[in-house]
Amino acid sequence: MSAEGPEACPECGGELRQDPDVLDTWFSSWLWPFSTLGWPEPTEDLAYFYPTQWLTTGPDIIFFWVARMIMAGLEFRGEVPFSTVYLHGIVRDGKGRKMSKSLGNSPEPIDIIEEYGADALRFTMIALTPTGQDVLFDATKTELGRNFANKIWNAARFLVMNLEGYDAAAPRAETDASDRWILSRLDATVTEVTAALEESRFSEAAWGLYEFLWKEYCDWYLEFAKARFYGDDPAARARAQTVGLEVLSTSLRLLHPFFPYLTEAIWEFLPDSDGLLIRASWPEAGNRTDGEAERDIEVIREVIAAVRNLRGEMHVPPGTRVPVLVRTEGDSAARILRGETKLKALARVETLTVGAEIRKPPKSASAVARGAEIYLPLEGLIDLEAERARLAKKVAGVRKILQGIEKKLANEAFLSRAPESVVANQRETGERLAGELEVLERNLASLGEAH
Amino acid sequence: MKSKDMPKAYEPSVHEERIYALWEEHRAFRAEVDPDRQPFTVMIPPPNVTGVLHMGHVLDNALQDSMIRFRRMQGYETLWQPGTDHAGIATQNVIEKMLRAEGKTRHDLGREAFVERAWTWKEEKGGHILKQLRRLGASADWDRTRFTMEPALSRAVTEAFVRLYEKGLIYRGNYIVNWCPRCHTALSDEEVEHRDEQSKLWHIRYPVKGEPGTYAVVATTRPETMLGDTAVAVHPEDPKTAGLRGKAVMLPFLDRELPVIEDDYVDRELGTGALKVTPAHDPNDFEIGKRHDLEAINILNEDATINEAGGEFRGLDRYEARARIIERLEALGLLEKTEDHPNAVGSCHRCHTVVEPRLSDQWFVKMKPLAEPALAAYRAGRVRFVPEHWGKTYTHWLENIRDWVIYRQL
């Protein structure tokens, strides 16, 4: 037997006919890793690109295809065809059922791409799929990817608008804590995302980028940077522009595998981007870990969040600037004082007083952040009488509902007759309302005695 | 576009087509042999050439494209090798549907013309799924797209076959296939649909040789197959059938002597504990037949009529034969009882005719000599699985591997 297709049998000289039966198609697919590269011809492609590095498929064909390819690779090329096999789960609907035409739970990918965009679909799929597990998917989940895409676009646009007059050679002020913090976080993110992708931990890489870009860069760094963007110190501005741009540019490169179109589109608008993003080099982490800066920013973020919270709870008008007192000392006090400008800008604070001896002023709301006690005196900021009345009314209302729940839960007949889910619901609502009541009563008490 | 005027919102439809074209214009997906760079190659699991993109493909290909773009940016010479698979049956189905609309069948066309038709269809409509992958942003080297049925890859198949044959790793042997008597073709397990039906279970008496009045009682949902019985099996430790051990029974109608054999496979809990063994017409019986060196007697023609081995029932359709046999058994006093029996019946997924397990001559690949190096390579860490636990599944299957039947029928 030879592979050329002999016309005559080499033994008896009789006529040969090709066996009319065709081989199992798996017999062609087990050769795929090297037949595609030219095997059995000794091509350059075969010598260079084989063996391959990475393969992904579903575990349902680990025997039919993956194991057989490994056997074929060893038999015909003397080496395994790929060093890593990543086995992903299957895509199920939101209820965990297999997707099928008859169930009508299998969305058309092209439809989703047309509604949300290809990147949104890719990112969502990857983010929602833990390594090797099944993913529960329905079309509306793609909003996750779309919202993130829009967030990135908006942040980039905000930065680009503030790059007016950007000149890489212009003199720059020293970095401030937020610069050092974000660069420290950037380097950590580069390291983490790179490691995750090296190990095929796609979902982790995706969420790492989500947290960094949205929760740190957009929500905080760009907010902090506004003061320098809108201020009248060109050197400070230049510094904020440089750092803001570096973080965005590096982030786009990290994001490119997940949002190829979006990132390529934004890249076109960056002043220092050269050529296509698809060809740009993968970022290397710098050595800018800065524990001090990270702690400074962590502390001030919490204080800002606490003050914003109090403002919201006590209905302080958003435009009103407020006095803030903080009872703390040592390291904590130092960090808060260093972040004074940021606190004043982001929480609309007029005056900040920090010290170990500070006492809670009368008629003030309070919160705790990082062991520091934060006081927001309300006299003159809000109509205390009106707020007291409003809160008292709310407290009474919540107390009444709670009483009703407690009565139900003490009623034997109810407990035995009502379905379990209804009883559980009552308990949960009761717990939640009890928590709310505590906050309301505390706030009411802060307002002091009624006149 | 170094303009400071970024539009207010990101609109995918404004950018996707344009940017994909830009990438292709710049040959960004292209991979070339480059001795100054390390390669990073990913082989696409080739989707069916008739396939349409579904959500599973989205996940699979999003993962591949993310990995490829990552490595490309890291400076590797990245090749994402694309292509499609002819996957036999699926393509065949599509072509046959086309032919039916023309009032023809593949037999009218003959094999060569059929294959030509398949190619024409493939050139015109095939690979639609690859276009859909492009919309997803897939950065595969499309210039290198392969198809499993193209001459070079068919040549690889022949080469592999010949090499294995010359090494003695390929042999012809008997195998029970799922046979469709209407399509005249063997079907893989995936091509057989199973339906639950209310069948009957007939309990038949086989007289014990030399002991008039004594019987072995066997039960079957397919009495016509009794014509191919070559043994009756019992469990070696079953007290119920102790009296049959070492004896023989006479097969009604054909007067063939059937030895009583002992085999662990027999379920002691089920019925009488005596099992009729038909090696040519049941996959489990085929295995028993191999273990005990039994003859495999084929009693069916390709169209599921009884053949010459079926004695007085030759020429009858299988169901006619069944009815006739029941009648005759009753007349002979050899039908012990009949009961209702829910049964999973397999039928051809194309024409819905009930399939028959049938002995057939097939090509096999000896797998053990191939499995050992594959196990060794995994244990030596030359291939790894993510998540790791799949290594256990892989190992278990290779350690228990059976020879591979590589025969199909077009």
Side-chain angles (χ1 to χ4, degrees):
Chain A
M1 175 186 286
S2 85
E4 288 299 303
E7 309 289 57
C9 169
E11 273 182 31
C12 69
E15 194 196 297
L16 282 178
R17 284 182 323 162
Q18 189 177 15
D19 195 317
D21 299 312
V22 166
L23 293 176
D24 185 353
T25 59
W26 291 113
F27 198 87
S28 72
S29 25
W30 77 324
L31 307 175
W32 187 254
F34 42 90
S35 63
T36 48
L37 296 172
W39 186 89
E41 298 304 313
T43 62
E44 268 199 342
D45 281 346
L46 192 58
Y48 181 74
F49 290 110
Y50 186 91
T52 76
Q53 281 61 45
W54 194 83
L55 179 89
T56 186
T57 188
D60 55 324
I61 54 176
I62 189 172
F63 310 133
F64 291 125
W65 195 47
V66 178
R68 286 181 179 152
M69 281 192 290
I70 294 174
M71 289 189 268
L74 287 164
E75 175 63 23
F76 300 115
R77 293 294 299 169
E79 193 39 67
V80 292
F82 29 74
S83 30
T84 301
V85 180
Y86 178 82
L87 294 154
H88 60 73
I90 67 170
V91 183
R92 296 176 179 273
D93 70 6
K95 296 198 181 105
R97 302 176 300 181
K98 276 184 102 158
M99 287 190 168
S100 84
K101 281 249 135 64
S102 47
L103 281 177
N105 63 352
S106 177
E108 289 297 328
I110 298 296
D111 290 344
I112 300 182
I113 289 173
E114 296 201 336
E115 188 179 341
Y116 296 87
D119 287 349
L121 177 58
R122 290 169 63 132
F123 177 81
T124 303
M125 271 297 208
I126 287 178
L128 295 182
T129 310
T131 305
Q133 291 183 51
D134 292 347
V135 54
L136 301 182
F137 182 85
D138 68 71
T140 58
K141 295 202 177 191
T142 318
E143 279 173 23
L144 170 73
R146 180 170 60 186
N147 291 346
F148 188 30
N150 289 338
K151 190 74 186 174
I152 298 164
W153 181 268
N154 292 339
R157 184 163 179 267
F158 172 76
L159 181 76
V160 164
M161 287 192 324
N162 285 287
L163 287 179
E164 188 81 47
Y166 174 69
D167 176 1
R172 303 195 285 262
E174 287 302 302
T175 55
D176 89 346
S178 68
D179 297 326
R180 294 190 297 279
W181 162 69
I182 200 69
L183 291 172
S184 178
R185 292 295 306 129
L186 178 69
D187 286 348
T189 303
V190 169
T191 304
E192 281 156 21
V193 169
T194 306
L197 287 174
E198 293 274 356
E199 292 159 30
S200 303
R201 288 182 280 116
F202 295 92
S203 175
E204 278 179 50
W207 284 113
L209 282 167
Y210 186 92
E211 288 296 313
F212 173 70
L213 266 173
W214 196 318
K215 305 301 168 61
E216 298 184 278
Y217 183 69
C218 293
D219 284 353
W220 290 101
Y221 181 76
L222 290 180
E223 291 298 311
F224 290 142
K226 278 177 180 168
R228 286 183 287 170
F229 285 148
Y230 304 155
D232 46 21
D233 179 350
R237 188 155 191 271
R239 174 58 66 186
Q241 287 176 330
T242 306
V243 176
L245 182 57
E246 179 183 344
V247 176
L248 181 65
S249 162
T250 302
S251 299
L252 288 176
R253 287 184 282 154
L254 294 174
L255 266 173
H256 184 71
F258 303 98
F259 283 98
Y261 291 117
L262 171 81
T263 53
E264 189 73 76
I266 296 174
W267 190 254
E268 290 170 339
F269 293 99
L270 299 191
D272 64 352
S273 62
D274 190 15
L276 295 174
L277 177 57
I278 188 174
R279 283 237 171 84
S281 54
W282 189 255
E284 299 253 346
N287 247 333
R288 296 170 294 193
T289 310
D290 191 332
E292 279 304 294
E294 289 202 21
R295 226 149 296 133
D296 270 7
I297 299 299
E298 271 160 36
V299 167
I300 209 64
R301 274 169 65 176
E302 289 208 24
V303 174
I304 290 170
V307 172
R308 282 174 169 172
N309 234 22
L310 288 177
R311 295 181 63 126
E313 274 178 26
M314 305 311 298
H315 298 90
V316 177
T320 308
R321 302 193 75 88
V322 302
V324 166
L325 295 91
V326 185
R327 179 192 158 123
T328 187
E329 57 188 334
D331 192 63
S332 162
R335 293 191 195 277
I336 294 175
L337 284 168
R338 282 202 285 274
E340 182 168 350
T341 321
K342 295 182 170 63
L343 174 63
K344 285 180 168 171
L346 268 65
R348 301 225 148 205
V349 168
E350 183 64 41
T351 59
L352 173 68
T353 323
V354 180
E357 303 305 312
I358 294 193
R359 295 275 166 271
K360 182 178 189 303
K363 299 185 190 145
S364 65
S366 67
V368 173
R370 298 241 153 183
E373 277 183 52
I374 299 164
Y375 309 119
L376 178 57
L378 298 161
E379 191 100 59
L381 292 179
I382 56 174
D383 181 342
L384 289 173
E385 286 304 323
E387 186 63 16
R388 212 178 272 131
R390 192 191 71 85
L391 277 174
K393 194 166 167 207
K394 270 214 103 174
V395 164
V398 173
R399 277 213 187 112
K400 190 157 174 221
I401 300 176
L402 262 177
Q403 266 164 27
I405 291 178
E406 275 161 24
K407 207 164 156 202
K408 263 204 191 123
L409 289 175
N411 184 334
E412 280 306 312
F414 169 75
L415 284 174
S416 55
R417 289 213 215 107
E420 235 185 87
S421 57
V422 172
V423 175
N425 196 339
Q426 288 291 300
R427 276 196 227 279
E428 271 170 43
T429 311
E431 274 167 32
R432 180 175 47 86
L433 287 176
E436 279 178 30
L437 183 61
E438 211 182 292
V439 172
L440 288 169
E441 284 177 333
R442 182 175 17 100
N443 290 344
L444 182 56
S446 349
L447 296 179
E449 293 298 309
H451 291 304
Chain B
M1 246 207 259
K2 296 281 192 281
S3 149
K4 299 286 190 292
D5 300 325
M6 268 178 79
K8 262 206 162 76
Y10 175 65
E11 277 172 273
S13 57
V14 166
H15 298 278
E16 287 178 358
E17 217 179 301
R18 170 182 76 80
I19 286 176
Y20 201 89
L22 208 55
W23 288 329
E24 290 208 288
E25 210 182 289
H26 287 249
R27 298 166 66 72
F29 307 160
R30 230 8 223 140
E32 306 278 7
V33 173
D34 183 348
D36 293 330
R37 283 177 183 254
Q38 288 265 60
F40 191 92
T41 314
V42 171
M43 289 284 157
I44 202 172
N48 197 300
V49 68
T50 60
V52 166
L53 200 69
H54 60 61
M55 295 311 298
H57 295 123
V58 172
L59 175 60
D60 198 85
N61 288 284
L63 292 169
Q64 287 173 82
D65 196 48
S66 301
M67 178 55 72
I68 280 287
R69 286 178 185 267
F70 167 56
R71 297 300 187 181
R72 188 183 286 123
M73 290 169 82
Q74 280 190 317
Y76 291 93
E77 187 67 22
T78 44
L79 166 59
W80 184 7
Q81 172 64 56
T84 53
D85 191 311
H86 69 285
I89 276 297
T91 314
Q92 196 178 324
N93 260 355
V94 170
I95 309 299
E96 286 194 347
K97 232 191 245 171
M98 227 170 56
L99 291 176
R100 259 200 298 278
E102 296 171 20
K104 298 201 195 88
T105 69
R106 65 175 155 88
H107 296 292
D108 296 330
L109 235 55
R111 187 172 178 271
E112 254 186 58
F114 185 86
V115 171
E116 220 183 277
R117 267 306 185 104
W119 266 104
T120 316
W121 183 90
K122 181 253 173 198
E123 293 301 313
E124 289 170 14
K125 305 219 198 101
H128 175 65
I129 192 170
L130 298 182
K131 294 198 189 79
Q132 295 178 308
L133 284 180
R134 291 159 64 94
R135 286 206 60 182
L136 204 56
S139 59
D141 190 349
W142 300 113
D143 290 344
R144 292 169 176 267
T145 304
R146 298 264 82 88
F147 176 49
T148 49
M149 236 171 80
E150 66 182 64
L153 270 63
S154 296
R155 161 118 210 272
V157 165
T158 312
E159 179 72 25
F161 187 94
V162 168
R163 288 198 196 180
L164 291 175
Y165 187 89
E166 286 174 349
K167 264 181 104 161
L169 291 174
I170 286 194
Y171 62 95
R172 284 201 91 124
N174 273 330
Y175 191 73
I176 297 274
V177 295
N178 302 306
W179 181 261
C180 175
R182 193 171 162 276
C183 295
H184 282 234
T185 182
L187 301 174
S188 68
D189 291 337
E190 292 80 43
E191 294 160 327
V192 174
E193 286 169 348
H194 290 273
R195 250 190 342 259
D196 281 324
E197 282 190 358
Q198 278 307 323
S199 312
K200 292 238 186 284
L201 190 63
W202 289 274
H203 297 251
I204 304 173
R205 293 177 178 152
Y206 288 10
V208 176
K209 180 178 180 194
E211 290 180 30
T214 324
Y215 304 100
V217 180
V218 297
T220 177
T221 56
R222 296 153 69 210
E224 66 282 6
T225 63
M226 67 184 283
L227 301 170
D229 286 359
T230 53
V232 166
V234 299
H235 192 283
E237 286 150 33
D238 188 356
K240 288 202 306 287
T241 52
L244 290 173
R245 280 181 233 151
K247 302 201 178 139
V249 301
M250 297 311 292
L251 180 66
F253 308 124
L254 296 175
D255 244 8
R256 184 159 65 232
E257 189 176 310
L258 307 180
V260 172
I261 58 173
E262 294 170 43
D263 195 294
D264 281 341
Y265 170 79
V266 183
D267 188 346
R268 282 177 273 187
E269 314 298 316
L270 212 56
T272 61
L275 189 75
K276 73 188 247 322
V277 181
T278 328
H281 290 287
D282 179 281
N284 298 310
D285 292 3
F286 179 67
E287 295 299 319
I288 296 176
K290 283 212 308 227
R291 288 200 283 278
H292 296 267
D293 220 359
L294 299 173
E295 203 191 339
I297 301 177
N298 180 22
I299 56 139
L300 291 176
N301 291 318
E302 287 199 359
D303 60 359
T305 53
I306 308 293
N307 65 17
E308 327 71 49
E312 65 191 88
F313 304 99
R314 107 171 57 90
L316 292 176
D317 164 75
R318 55 186 161 161
Y319 297 119
E320 266 183 64
R322 185 182 294 183
R324 199 77 78 78
I325 285 172
I326 303 296
E327 265 175 43
R328 298 269 288 117
L329 286 173
E330 236 171 341
L332 289 170
L334 293 176
L335 186 63
E336 174 124 321
K337 67 172 168 174
T338 310
E339 52 185 359
D340 285 332
H341 181 81
N343 195 24
V345 174
S347 58
C348 173
H349 79 135
R350 263 175 283 166
C351 70
H352 307 298
T353 308
V354 173
V355 299
E356 280 294 333
R358 190 167 180 261
L359 205 59
S360 173
D361 201 31
Q362 305 286 337
W363 289 114
F364 284 80
V365 180
K366 271 205 197 111
M367 294 306 273
K368 213 156 184 297
L370 298 177
E372 316 243 302
L375 277 165
Y378 168 69
R379 290 181 177 133
R382 285 172 11 230
V383 59
R384 65 179 197 113
F385 295 96
V386 179
E388 277 180 20
H389 66 79
W390 288 113
K392 285 200 208 94
T393 315
Y394 171 83
T395 304
H396 180 81
W397 187 70
L398 284 174
E399 284 173 344
N400 294 287
I401 201 164
R402 305 182 55 180
D403 286 350
W404 178 11
V405 186
I406 54 171
Y407 174 95
R408 263 223 53 76
Q409 203 150 16
L410 182 68

